C-alpha cells in the first residue's frame, strides 16, 4: 500500500470508529429521534394515515367509551407500545391532576390541545359547573381531539377551538363569556408562551390564586418564559423536574406559577 492509500484507509477507519462510538454514546438520543420524528413519517407514507388518526383508531378499538380514565390509560399504552405522541403523559399529568384537585377551577384555558389527552385529564376532574376551553391551531389535530373528547364522554365540559391562541385569548371575554381564568395550561409552541402570557395579562384574565402551568420549559424550552415569570413580582413559581413525555431517559421540567398580582 502506498502512503496515500494508507492515509485514506486510516481516515476512513477513524471516521467509522468515531461515528460508531458517537452513535453508541448517543443511542438513547437516536432512539428518541427515531420514535418521535422519523418513524411516523415512514408509517404515514406507508399507511396513508397520520399518527393522530392511528392513535384515534387505537383508542376506539381499545378504550371504554364514556370512561376518561380508560381513554387516558389506552392513550398512554398507545404511546408506550405503538407510537410516541406529544401528550403531556403520565408524570406531568399527575402534577396537573393534583393542581386541578387542589384548585377546583371553574374556568380553565389550555393552549395546545393536540389530540385532547391533557384536556381529558383536566376535564375529568372538573365540577359539574366548570369548563375547559382548549385551543388547537391545527384543524386535523382539532378534529381528532373532538373525537377523543367525545369518546371520553366529556364533550359538555370541553370546548375545542380551532383558531390561533392569541386570537382566542383576545376574544375570551366577548365571545366566550369568560370573566377570569382559574387555570391556564401552556402547552402549545414553546416560543409562544411569552407572547400569550402577556396577552392574558393585558386582557386582565388572571385573578389572585389563578394558576399558570407551563409544560416543556426545559425540553425543548420556552424562550424567555422562565426568566419572565420568575422575574415578575406577580407570580410565585415552582419548578418540577420530570421526565419528557414517554421518554424515561430524558428529563424535562414544568413550571407552576400562582398569580399573586393585581386583578
Ligand atoms: C405539545 S402539543 C399539546 C399536547 C397536549 N396539551 C396534550 O398534552 O395532550 C402542542 C400543540 O399546540 C398546537 N399549537 C401550536 N401553536 C398553537 C397556537 N398558536 N394556537 C393553538 N395551538 C397551537 C400544536 O398544533 C400542537 O398540537
Amino acid at each position: 500500500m502506498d502512503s496515500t492509500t494508507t492515509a485514506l484507509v486510516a481516515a476512513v477507519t477513524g471516521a467509522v470508529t468515531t461515528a460508531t462510538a458517537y452513535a453508541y454514546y448517543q443511542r438513547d438520543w437516536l432512539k428518541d429521534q427515531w420514535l418521535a420524528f422519523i418513524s411516523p413519517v415512514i408509517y404515514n407514507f406507508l399507511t396513508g394515515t397520520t399518527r393522530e388518526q392511528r392513535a384515534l383508531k387505537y383508542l376506539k378499538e381499545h378504550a371504554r367509551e364514556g370512561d376518561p380514565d380508560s381513554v387516558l390509560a389506552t392513550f398512554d399504552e398507545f404511546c408506550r407500545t405503538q407510537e410516541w405522541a406529544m401528550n403531556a403523559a403520565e408524570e406531568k399529568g399527575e402534577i396537573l391532576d393534583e393542581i386541578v384537585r387542589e384548585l377546583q377551577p371553574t374556568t380553565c384555558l389550555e393552549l395546545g390541545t393536540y389530540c385532547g389527552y391533557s384536556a381529558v385529564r383536566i376535564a375529568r376532574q372538573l365540577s359539574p359547573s366548570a369548563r375547559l376551553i382548549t385551543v388547537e391551531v391545527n384543524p386535523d389535530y382539532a378534529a381528532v381531539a373532538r373525537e377523543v373528547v367525545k369518546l371520553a364522554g366529556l364533550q359538555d365540559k370541553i370546548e375545542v377551538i380551532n383558531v390561533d391562541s392569541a386570537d382566542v385569548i383576545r376574544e375570551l371575554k366577548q365571545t366566550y363569556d369568560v370573566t377570569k381564568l382559574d387555570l391556564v395550561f401552556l402547552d402549545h409552541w414553546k416560543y409562544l408562551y411569552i407572547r400569550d402570557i402577556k396577552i392574558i395579562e393585558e386582557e386582565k384574565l388572571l385573578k389572585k390564586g389563578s394558576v399558570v402551568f407551563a409544560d416543556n420549559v426545559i425540553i425543548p424550552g420556552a424562550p424567555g418564559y422562565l426568566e419572565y415569570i420568575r422575574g415578575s413580582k406577580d407570580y410565585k413559581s415552582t419548578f418540577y423536574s420530570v421526565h419528557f413525555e414517554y421518554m424515561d431517559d430524558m428529563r424535562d421540567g414544568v413550571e407552576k406559577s400562582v398569580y399573586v398580582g393585581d386583578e
Side-chain angles (χ1 to χ4, degrees), residues 32-42 51 84 244 247:
D32 294 343
Q33 298 306 305
W34 166 260
L35 279 175
F37 304 113
I38 305 166
S39 67
V41 174
I42 298 170
R51 172 169 49 190
W84 181 88
F244 186 70
M247 293 195 183

Side-chain angles (χ1 to χ4, degrees), residues 248-260:
D248 299 336
D249 48 22
M250 206 191 267
R251 288 209 83 82
D252 185 12
V254 290
E255 185 92 350
K256 172 188 169 186
S257 305
V258 181
Y259 186 73
V260 291

Side-chain angles (χ1 to χ4, degrees), residues 86-88 110 112-114 116-118 135-138 141 163-165 185 187-190 192 195:
M86 56 179 160
N87 302 337
E110 173 181 62
T113 317
Y114 187 45
Y117 175 93
S118 50
V135 190
E136 174 52 58
V137 76
N138 179 315
Y141 296 169
V163 183
D164 180 86
S165 50
F185 181 34
D187 195 17
H188 52 339
W189 296 153
K190 310 308 154 189
L192 297 175
R195 178 195 77 178

Side-chain angles (χ1 to χ4, degrees), residues 16 87 89 178 215 226 237:
V16 169
N87 302 337
V178 169
D215 194 6
L226 285 184
S237 291

